[in-house]
Amino acid sequence: MSSVAERTASKPAVSRPRRSKAVLLQGTVIALGFVVLVAGFGLIAGYYRPYRIPTTSMSPTIEGGDTVLARRADGASVGRGDIVIFQEPLWGNAEMAKRVIGVAGDTVACCDDRQRISVNGVTIDEPYTQVGVGPGTGFSVTVPEGRLFLLGDFRSNSLDSRSHLEIASGTIATSSVEARVEATVMPTSRSRTHERTSAFDNIGGPKAHSPGPLRPAVYAMAGGAAVVVLASAVGWAVSVARWSRRRIRR
């Protein structure tokens, strides 16, 4: 009789299968979140490279000391308005960031009474610039094949194509381009993606690019991390609640 009573008394512990299913579900959710997080990180690591901008020549778009993320790009594929990272031996061979103003065949001229440049006879309104005269005023150049004409957004404080007009009309080779800037990541107070500009859309030809897969990759990382943290927190809370109930029963 006592052995039957012992078996009957030990029968009610039916919650273990449920607990196993809950643990399995939690583990699956955490694993999926981790996969999404790693996929987002891998996308950024595979396509983007960080660059630290040393000068204020691209202010106010990018300030000196900012760290940007730039997507690897062929200089032949960039459009007017894109911000590019490049190294030009004839400009000192340092990594620089400037904005593409003219591509092969364009005629770039400076300036009207409001210090606006023109490309192929079309005056360009550039809301992202700090207006200023800067070096090399009163020019008109035609961009040779396989080359780009670049300016900094801080027009009165940028050593750009205007400073090198005697060398290939101030242009750089498309092969000098390393990447296209798509976001500022540091400092965090200035973090943002750099949306494409429509300033050159009336000209025709190669236009500025929108940010690539950077934003979806960041969302994937943030979402994956949130899922991992939330699932872990829920699992921890459930475990604590069960432990508390057991203590009360005792």
Side-chain angles (χ1 to χ4, degrees):
M1 283 291 282
S2 62
S3 62
V4 173
E6 282 173 10
R7 282 199 298 271
T8 309
S10 60
K11 220 174 178 183
V14 188
S15 60
R16 281 182 187 170
R18 270 189 212 165
R19 184 182 170 187
S20 299
K21 284 181 184 177
V23 170
L24 181 62
L25 179 62
Q26 181 195 10
T28 303
V29 170
I30 290 175
L32 285 173
F34 188 72
V35 167
V36 171
L37 189 157
V38 170
F41 179 81
L43 196 60
I44 292 174
Y47 284 94
Y48 293 89
R49 182 185 152 189
Y51 293 84
R52 190 174 183 277
I53 305 303
T55 71
T56 59
S57 67
M58 281 300 296
S59 176
T61 308
I62 304 169
E63 297 293 351
D66 284 2
T67 298
V68 300
L69 280 183
R71 186 181 181 188
R72 297 184 182 97
D74 179 358
S77 68
V78 299
R80 303 183 199 95
D82 283 336
I83 301 170
V84 295
I85 303 290
F86 66 97
Q87 278 187 294
E88 173 54 62
L90 298 176
W91 290 22
N93 210 30
E95 283 183 338
M96 303 182 195
K98 305 291 180 193
R99 191 181 294 272
V100 176
I101 302 298
V103 297
D106 285 346
T107 297
V108 182
C110 174
C111 290
D112 68 3
D113 56 356
R114 290 167 53 192
Q115 299 304 319
R116 295 178 301 176
I117 60 163
S118 67
V119 178
N120 301 336
V122 179
T123 301
I124 310 298
D125 286 304
E126 299 177 273
Y128 44 77
T129 60
Q130 282 200 34
V131 177
V133 180
T137 56
F139 63 82
S140 179
V141 300
T142 299
V143 182
E145 194 64 35
R147 302 188 74 83
L148 302 168
F149 191 91
L150 310 176
L151 295 179
D153 286 356
F154 196 169
R155 294 291 153 86
S156 62
N157 188 35
S158 176
L159 296 176
D160 46 40
S161 287
R162 298 167 300 170
S163 306
H164 303 277
L165 290 173
E166 73 285 355
I167 307 171
S169 300
T171 61
I172 69 159
T174 54
S175 58
S176 300
V177 172
E178 298 178 2
R180 186 172 58 245
V181 175
E182 294 192 358
T184 297
V185 291
M186 292 292 288
T188 52
S189 59
R190 290 178 46 76
S191 290
R192 65 188 182 96
T193 53
H194 295 293
E195 302 299 330
R196 72 174 298 276
T197 177
S198 59
F200 299 84
D201 284 1
N202 291 334
I203 301 173
K207 295 179 172 60
H209 292 76
S210 297
L214 180 60
R215 190 174 290 166
V218 170
Y219 287 157
M221 285 178 63
V227 167
V228 170
V229 170
L230 188 61
S232 301
V234 168
W236 178 81
V238 169
S239 297
V240 169
R242 281 182 178 152
W243 179 79
S244 299
R245 282 198 297 270
R246 283 176 191 156
R247 288 203 67 181
I248 292 168
R249 283 173 190 165
R250 287 174 190 171

